[in-house]
Amino acid sequence: MTGSLAASNLSVRYETPHGAVHALRHVDIEAHPGEVIGIVGESGCGKSTLVTALANLLPANARIDGSISYNGVDLAKLDAHHQRLLRGDEIALVGQDPMTAFNPVLTIGDQLVDFQHHRKDLGRAQKRARIAAMLGRVGIADAERRMNSYPHELSGGMRQRVAIAAALLTDPGLLIADEPTTALDVTMEAQIIHLLRELRRDYNGIIIVVSHHLGVIAELCDRVYVMYAGEVVEGGEVDAIFHDARHPYTQALLACDPARFHEKLDRLPTIPGSLPNLTQPPSGCVYAPRCDRAFAPCVSVAPPLVKLSVSHMARCHAVTP
Amino acid sequence: MSPLLAIDDLSVTFARSGLLSRLINPFPLPSFNVIDGVTLSLMPGETLGLVGESGSGKTTLARTILGLVRAAAGRITFEGRNVATPADFRAMRRRSAMMFQDPVASLSPRLRIGALLTEPQIIQGLPMPDRRAAAKALLALVGLPASFVDRFPHELSGGQARRVGVARALAMKPHLLLADEPTAGLDVSVQGDVLNLIGELKRELGFAAMIVTHNLAMIRHVSDRLAIMYLGRLVETGPTQDVFSAPLHPYTATLIQSEPIPDPRRRSQNPAVTGEIPSVFRRPSGCEFHTRCPIARDRCKTEAPAYRPMGTDRMVRCHFPLVTGGQEREAFSRASANHRGN
Ligand SMILES: Nc1ncnc2c1ncn2[C@@H]1O[C@H](COP(=O)(O)OP(=O)(O)OP(=O)(O)O)[C@@H](O)[C@H]1O
Ligand SMILES: Nc1ncnc2c1ncn2[C@@H]1O[C@H](COP(=O)(O)OP(=O)(O)O)[C@@H](O)[C@H]1O
Ligand code: SF4
Ligand code: SF4
Ligand SMILES: [Mg+2]
Ligand SMILES: [Mg+2]
């Protein structure tokens, strides 16, 4: 399908002196134009690894298996030159810390002009006009003056808006936002959530939002993939994930969020145990050591991906359609 | 009962002297009140949540209470005694403990956990016949294996490092614990672990705690009272449940409404507040919140509201507080109308 993205049986391992870290294992995801996809899970579960693999930006010690296709084209089959072209033109990544996205010694305007280097058809004045319009679009008042500012002169919330504007200037088919609000205060976070939601109305590409914050995912996304220890353990429409979660990990994760409880709790709910060591992932279910529903096959046999409805699936021995 | 800690009209001033700020603004600038007229008290055994956005002065206030930052004005009373001289602060620090915002950075990287845990007592010159045994007892207290005495800080996960931070803070059997963002950067499950641990130890050991955070969803479960800060001033204090169910200050109300809710059926319709957070170095005139307040009126732009009591146990700094049943409350809900579905 035009503009669609799919990863199938995608695995990534990082070679380190202490052995290979199996950061991503047999992940299947898909995304279609106009959709906002959420990737949620605890720190270290592989969210950033997944999206950096999609953006073809993995570090040199990463080894990748499986396939990623965009627009029906298998990215692995493209030569390096075309991969780079695709990355620059079609895929834009907005990171967690908006400060690191910018060069501290250049003005915002100069950097945003450089971001449009692929638009050989536009002159500098036209590029600056596009920038001014885009900055206005992301809610920066006084865009002309802001273009002459340096990154440190902007607040965190403003820098994140500029980073989003920069990403959109390349007209990407896929916009990836990795923890876009984690570094922001709650009032600024709410403003960025609303900005992204407004943008999707007239942006016809795919937006992927990565967050460990369930509230942000619930506010923004159409479909959600839940990750645990390098695997996608459940995927579905946002409503199904938040109101009809079937995987024991998703259920436990939702139950832990203090934002769900308005009455004061004496003890906050937790998930006993800790993440498995990703240098030696367990042979059965990755969640088995912490799962209160684990039974015999869970420790030895990897659970199948069970299809619960057209769009809802969970990787668990205990779920049935 | 008299308070364990009382802060009266405390102010802290920083000169804006960094090279960067001189480049941005070459004119010689006067100094600025980063903390301005803060009055606050903490009862024995109580947990107070100090809430505010980044840069509002929370860390600075906590550090000033311990004498790590010098106050420009105001009084601090601890266990009934005035704390003013460096010797007073040292005595106070012996009976209180601080958990710093970044736990790994605040643990010396070259010391093993065992040494780190017993360092405070050694510095204070307390007798300790068996350091290893004392360290292992502390690790057991916070639920970590004894083998951790030989580990280095970078070999711990985020949650384990916080537990070590808790153990180190409690080693001195403090009467007061100041915890700066004790769960920032932790996953919800690990966050629950660390807070449950602090709660259990509080019940067991009976210390009072001040928890500094901007995480409202968390603080509502672990504090008895809340103090809300905006640009270095308290704008509201009161019992936690009351503040959450009926915030009086419009800023408190916008903070509560801005929290994303983990339920796609109750998405917010509009941001509760727009506009950037101003800087303490350029305070707006009148009420500092008027640039973002949904119910600001003309008076708010020129006249600074006083910090005044409302009822028996609440304080608010606003000309038009959101009293239950009052027209301001109504105006506020209208301004943020349709904010969330049900
Ligand atoms: N040593 C210093 N010299 C000058 N300004 C300072 C100094 N320390 C802090 N500030 C300024 O004082 C204000 C309050 O800072 P503080 O660290 O107390 O905020 P905070 O509420 O703890 O923020 P956060 O939530 O980001 O931790 C900020 O504007 C900060 O830049
Ligand atoms: N460059 C790297 N080299 C080795 N291990 C890495 C590297 N980047 C990430 N990892 C490991 O891969 C796992 C997944 O990391 P990451 O994708 O960053 O998780 P998340 O974004 O969900 O927090 C973690 O165990 C992390 O320590
Ligand atoms: S496969 Fe077994 S251990 Fe894994 S989540 Fe399902 S029930 Fe739990
Ligand atoms: S004094 Fe005015 S501007 Fe300030 S919070 Fe109250 S209503 Fe809003
Ligand atoms: Mg990440
Ligand atoms: Mg701080």
Side-chain angles (χ1 to χ4, degrees):
Chain A
M1 191 171 148
T2 321
S4 290
L5 174 82
S8 64
N9 206 14
L10 186 68
S11 297
V12 173
R13 59 179 203 279
Y14 295 106
E15 303 293 351
T16 77
H18 315 287
V21 177
H22 297 267
L24 213 60
R25 289 186 312 284
H26 48 80
V27 164
D28 292 316
I29 67 162
E30 55 176 52
H32 306 289
E35 274 191 316
V36 182
I37 301 291
I39 313 270
V40 69
E42 294 171 285
S43 148
C45 72
K47 305 181 294 295
S48 297
T49 301
L50 173 58
V51 295
T52 24
L54 296 178
N56 193 17
L57 289 172
L58 285 171
N61 68 334
R63 302 287 170 270
I64 183 165
D65 273 311
S67 77
I68 301 171
S69 68
Y70 182 70
N71 247 337
V73 180
D74 186 341
L75 298 195
K77 304 230 164 75
L78 294 178
D79 58 35
H81 171 69
H82 283 94
Q83 283 197 10
R84 256 199 316 279
L85 275 186
L86 184 69
R87 196 179 93 199
D89 287 3
E90 286 294 335
I91 303 177
L93 189 69
V94 176
Q96 167 167 350
D97 181 359
M99 193 62 193
T100 57
F102 297 104
N103 182 334
V105 300
L106 294 180
T107 63
I108 295 295
D110 284 345
Q111 298 190 54
L112 295 192
V113 166
D114 290 346
F115 267 88
Q116 301 173 72
H117 58 83
H118 67 298
R119 293 295 301 263
K120 306 268 187 287
D121 54 319
L122 300 178
R124 191 176 168 83
Q126 285 165 302
K127 286 181 180 171
R128 285 189 72 95
R130 280 187 89 218
I131 297 169
M134 193 57 85
L135 289 178
R137 181 79 195 79
V138 299
I140 291 186
D142 205 2
E144 289 290 347
R145 190 169 67 87
R146 282 302 171 199
M147 284 163 71
N148 296 322
S149 305
Y150 290 89
H152 68 260
E153 294 172 300
L154 307 182
S155 71
M158 266 199 241
R159 278 199 293 265
Q160 196 58 292
R161 283 167 207 271
V162 175
I164 292 170
L168 292 174
L169 278 171
T170 63
D171 303 313
L174 170 60
L175 174 68
I176 299 173
D178 190 357
E179 306 271 6
T181 64
T182 300
L184 302 178
D185 282 311
V186 54
T187 58
M188 288 299 134
E189 173 173 70
Q191 291 179 29
I192 295 292
I193 287 175
H194 284 275
L195 170 64
L196 286 169
R197 242 202 247 153
E198 264 171 38
L199 287 175
R200 71 163 301 193
R201 276 188 220 138
D202 45 34
Y203 168 72
N204 201 27
I206 301 166
I207 301 180
I208 297 185
V209 177
V210 175
S211 182
H212 67 276
H213 193 326
L214 291 163
V216 171
I217 296 288
E219 290 273 5
L220 265 176
C221 302
D222 304 318
R223 275 196 309 119
V224 180
Y225 291 102
V226 182
M227 293 188 64
Y228 180 76
E231 298 187 359
V232 168
V233 295
E234 183 160 7
E237 306 281 336
V238 68
D239 200 73
I241 296 295
F242 282 86
H243 288 282
D244 185 26
R246 304 292 290 281
H247 194 282
Y249 173 67
T250 312
Q251 294 171 347
L253 184 67
L254 289 168
C256 277
D257 190 344
R260 287 165 59 93
F261 307 97
H262 283 180
E263 293 309 312
K264 183 172 174 170
L265 301 172
D266 274 342
R267 275 188 74 78
L268 293 168
T270 61
I271 308 175
S274 54
L275 282 168
N277 179 352
L278 292 183
T279 49
Q280 285 150 337
S283 53
C285 170
V286 274
Y287 189 55
R290 303 172 80 180
C291 181
D292 55 11
R293 279 157 57 189
F295 57 115
C298 302
V299 277
S300 49
V301 184
L305 195 59
V306 180
K307 212 168 162 84
L308 300 160
S309 78
V310 185
S311 57
H312 192 181
M313 69 238 180
R315 192 180 284 282
C316 171
H317 287 300
V319 301
T320 41
Chain B
M1 200 162 40
S2 58
L4 175 75
L5 172 74
I7 305 161
D8 189 27
D9 210 9
L10 194 76
S11 295
V12 174
T13 304
F14 286 137
R16 195 180 183 181
S17 59
L19 176 64
L20 199 62
S21 47
R22 274 209 304 275
L23 286 174
I24 300 165
N25 193 338
F27 309 105
L29 286 163
S31 39
F32 293 84
N33 279 3
V34 172
I35 299 291
D36 194 276
V38 168
T39 298
L40 198 60
S41 65
L42 190 60
M43 300 308 262
E46 186 179 44
T47 304
L48 175 81
L50 179 65
V51 172
E53 293 181 285
S54 184
S56 59
K58 308 179 296 294
T59 300
T60 305
L61 178 60
R63 294 175 62 88
T64 311
I65 292 171
L66 289 182
L68 305 173
V69 169
R70 197 136 68 111
R75 242 188 339 276
I76 298 174
T77 316
F78 184 69
E79 298 189 318
R81 268 188 297 274
N82 189 25
V83 187
T85 66
D88 296 341
F89 277 111
R90 268 199 303 279
M92 174 180 168
R93 281 203 293 271
R94 222 168 282 146
R95 295 167 153 289
S96 40
M98 175 117 183
M99 276 177 73
F100 291 96
Q101 197 162 351
D102 183 346
V104 177
S106 67
L107 299 173
S108 164
R110 282 188 306 276
L111 289 184
R112 291 178 197 272
I113 303 303
L116 281 167
L117 286 176
T118 46
E119 195 190 23
Q121 296 95 303
I122 302 283
I123 293 173
Q124 300 286 353
L126 298 183
M128 192 178 308
D130 187 345
R131 270 185 92 162
R132 265 182 93 79
K136 285 182 180 171
L138 281 167
L139 285 170
L141 185 71
V142 297
L144 291 175
S147 61
F148 273 40
V149 288
D150 294 318
R151 289 221 190 168
F152 288 102
H154 70 263
E155 296 172 329
L156 305 182
S157 73
Q160 289 165 344
R162 303 296 165 131
R163 284 180 173 257
V164 169
V166 174
R168 195 173 136 93
L170 298 182
M172 303 291 298
K173 301 210 172 19
H175 296 199
L176 170 66
L177 172 69
L178 295 175
D180 193 358
E181 299 281 8
T183 63
L186 297 181
D187 293 312
V188 279
S189 167
V190 184
Q191 160 175 288
D193 254 355
V194 171
L195 293 168
N196 288 341
L197 172 68
I198 294 179
E200 269 159 34
L201 294 172
K202 260 196 78 193
R203 278 190 285 273
E204 207 169 297
L205 308 173
F207 54 87
M210 182 163 130
I211 298 181
V212 173
T213 185
H214 57 246
N215 184 338
L216 287 174
M218 170 275 268
I219 201 68
R220 121 184 254 160
H221 298 293
V222 299
S223 64
D224 306 309
R225 232 151 38 86
L226 278 186
I228 315 287
M229 237 179 161
Y230 192 69
L231 299 187
R233 292 188 180 151
L234 292 184
V235 296
E236 173 158 12
T237 49
T240 302
Q241 297 304 307
D242 299 356
V243 172
F244 270 101
S245 56
L248 289 171
H249 198 282
Y251 176 60
T252 315
T254 53
L255 278 184
I256 294 171
Q257 288 204 339
S258 297
E259 270 290 288
I261 293 186
D263 183 353
R265 294 181 190 171
R266 299 190 55 213
R267 289 187 171 170
S268 62
Q269 306 301 311
N270 291 297
V273 62
T274 53
E276 301 291 326
I277 306 169
S279 145
V280 278
F281 299 115
R282 211 174 295 152
R283 286 176 186 281
S285 63
C287 169
E288 281 137 357
F289 190 53
H290 87 253
T291 55
R292 306 168 78 204
C293 180
I295 60 161
R297 302 190 210 168
D298 283 345
R299 179 179 169 201
C300 306
K301 293 179 191 150
T302 51
E303 191 187 328
Y307 190 47
R308 57 191 168 110
M310 297 275 295
T312 50
D313 50 7
R314 299 183 69 170
M315 299 281 291
V316 64
R317 189 192 299 276
C318 171
H319 294 305
F320 308 107
L322 313 178
V323 188
T324 309
Q327 67 185 55
E328 282 78 19
R329 167 71 71 84
E330 227 170 81
F332 185 89
S333 4
R334 238 180 294 119
S336 53
N338 228 349
H339 182 66
R340 275 188 199 283
N342 299 305

